[in-house]
């Protein structure tokens, strides 16, 4: 579904991605783990067309993405839930959700997506008229995911969905991500919380300073001494 080959990204003279190659197959949850600054966020931004790719290729369902604008990439079926959520704080929950669907034309289908989102996040339905900035951190994360789903993506990119949330909420968010995947959406998930990420993912990649150093099934990564020592607290 997604194929990344030898991708290099620079920020000025900083070489942030140094030849990344990976694949995501339809129906999978794939996770990217790694320390701060490893390049996880940059890789998601490269897929979404938010940073230029200097060298290498990214294809989605056979189409090259590296020359497309971010909006065209959304149109092809990829949505991105950025780190730090970036919801529109001064707009209501309903308005945020409507913005997620702004590229769609069929009101009946948009209404169906809204129902799907309410089934996944009943809390949002109760708070439709509330200003998004007044939601709790967990609710804002739910809204960020819900807004991305309103574009009806086939591939959902998630950047640190557990960041700053209490353990109970983290478990809730991950259970919902699993449900979203079981309903047919493919997920590429960036996480510092390697334990949670590897518990829901099918496969994972470990990044270190712009390179992939390990790639395996989530089960084998969880069992690996190297991963246990560096990312799972021994
Ligand atoms: P974190 O978990 O801390 O977000 P990450 O693995 O997502 O880390 P990136 O944010 O992708 O890492 O950063 C990769 C490298 O690129 C880092 O060395 C970072 O300092 C650098 N970098 C990221 N964004 C920029 C930018 N806008 N300008 C310059 N350097 C940047």
């Amino acid at each position: 579904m997604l194929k990344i080959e030898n991708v290099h990204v620079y920020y000025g003279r900083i070489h942030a991605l140094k030849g990344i190659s990976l694949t995501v197959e339809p129906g999978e949850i794939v996770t990217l783990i790694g320390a701060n600054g490893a390049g996880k966020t940059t890789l998601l931004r490269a897929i979404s067309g938010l940073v230029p790719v200097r060298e290498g290729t990214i294809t989605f369902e056979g189409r090259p993405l590296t020359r497309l604008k971010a909006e065209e990439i959304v149109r092809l079926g990829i949505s991105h839930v950025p780190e730090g959520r970036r919801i529109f704080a001064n707009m209501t929950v309903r308005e945020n959700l409507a913005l997620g669907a702004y590229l769609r034309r069929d009101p009946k289908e948009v209404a169906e997506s809204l129902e799907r989102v309410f089934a996944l996040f009943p809390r949002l339905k109760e708070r439709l008229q509330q200003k998004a900035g007044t939601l709790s951190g967990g609710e804002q994360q739910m809204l960020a995911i819900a807004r991305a789903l309103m574009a009806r993506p086939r591939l959902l990119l998630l950047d640190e969905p557990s960041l700053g949330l209490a353990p109970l909420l983290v478990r809730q968010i991950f259970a919902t991500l699993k449900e979203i995947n079981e309903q047919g959406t493919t997920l590429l998930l960036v996480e510092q919380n390697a334990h949670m990420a590897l518990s829901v993912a099918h496969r994972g990649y470990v990044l270190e300073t712009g390179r992939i150093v390990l790639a395996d099934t989530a089960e084998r990564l969880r069992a690996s001494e190297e991963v246990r020592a560096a990312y799972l607290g021994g």
Side-chain angles (χ1 to χ4, degrees):
M1 178 179 226
L2 182 75
K3 188 165 187 189
I4 299 180
E5 288 178 290
N6 188 34
V7 159
H8 290 258
V9 170
Y10 290 76
Y11 295 107
R13 282 154 71 187
I14 296 172
H15 194 178
L17 298 184
K18 301 168 183 163
I20 298 281
S21 300
L22 63 80
T23 57
V24 179
E25 303 299 334
E28 279 191 308
I29 302 180
V30 173
T31 186
L32 302 171
I33 58 182
N36 287 112
K40 307 179 299 295
T41 296
T42 301
L43 185 55
L44 293 192
R45 292 175 60 82
I47 297 166
S48 292
L50 300 171
V51 292
V53 171
R54 173 91 58 96
E55 192 188 326
T57 57
I58 302 178
T59 55
F60 177 64
E61 297 175 336
R63 288 194 188 83
L65 300 185
T66 35
R67 294 238 172 90
L68 300 183
K69 295 196 192 90
E71 181 184 308
E72 295 170 316
I73 293 171
V74 176
R75 222 183 266 283
L76 289 179
I78 300 180
S79 291
H80 188 156
V81 182
E83 189 174 6
R85 326 200 237 276
R86 311 277 165 76
I87 49 149
F88 298 100
N90 290 321
M91 298 178 126
T92 65
V93 168
R94 183 188 284 284
E95 288 163 342
N96 270 274
L97 291 173
L99 277 172
Y102 82 106
L103 289 172
R104 297 175 59 186
R105 291 287 162 261
D106 184 336
K108 193 165 149 263
E109 286 180 14
V110 172
E112 282 166 17
S113 293
L114 202 56
E115 287 308 315
R116 178 186 174 208
V117 154
F118 291 157
L120 288 164
F121 301 107
R123 187 78 65 87
L124 294 180
K125 191 173 183 177
E126 295 160 14
R127 290 165 187 269
L128 276 177
Q129 304 311 330
Q130 190 170 328
K131 284 266 195 322
T134 65
L135 296 172
S136 72
E139 289 163 355
Q140 290 188 21
Q141 185 57 270
M142 291 174 198
L143 178 57
I145 297 169
R147 185 181 60 188
L149 288 175
M150 289 302 294
R152 207 170 39 173
R154 291 191 298 290
L155 175 65
L156 183 62
L157 311 177
L158 296 133
D159 199 346
E160 305 266 8
S162 77
L163 197 72
L165 302 184
L168 180 66
L169 270 173
V170 172
R171 281 198 293 277
Q172 257 177 41
I173 294 272
F174 274 87
T176 307
L177 291 180
K178 220 170 159 185
E179 201 178 334
I180 290 167
N181 174 250
E182 280 159 6
Q183 292 174 359
T185 309
T186 304
L187 306 185
L188 180 59
L189 170 67
V190 160
E191 261 299 335
Q192 294 258 347
N193 189 336
H195 189 74
M196 279 310 293
L198 290 174
S199 74
V200 298
H202 302 101
R203 290 189 301 117
Y205 293 87
V206 179
L207 264 80
E208 266 173 30
T209 56
R211 291 195 174 85
I212 287 169
V213 293
L214 274 175
D216 214 329
T217 62
E219 200 178 343
R220 281 198 289 265
L221 288 174
R222 279 168 91 179
S224 127
E225 283 306 321
E226 216 174 325
V227 172
R228 292 179 83 87
Y231 305 105
L232 296 174

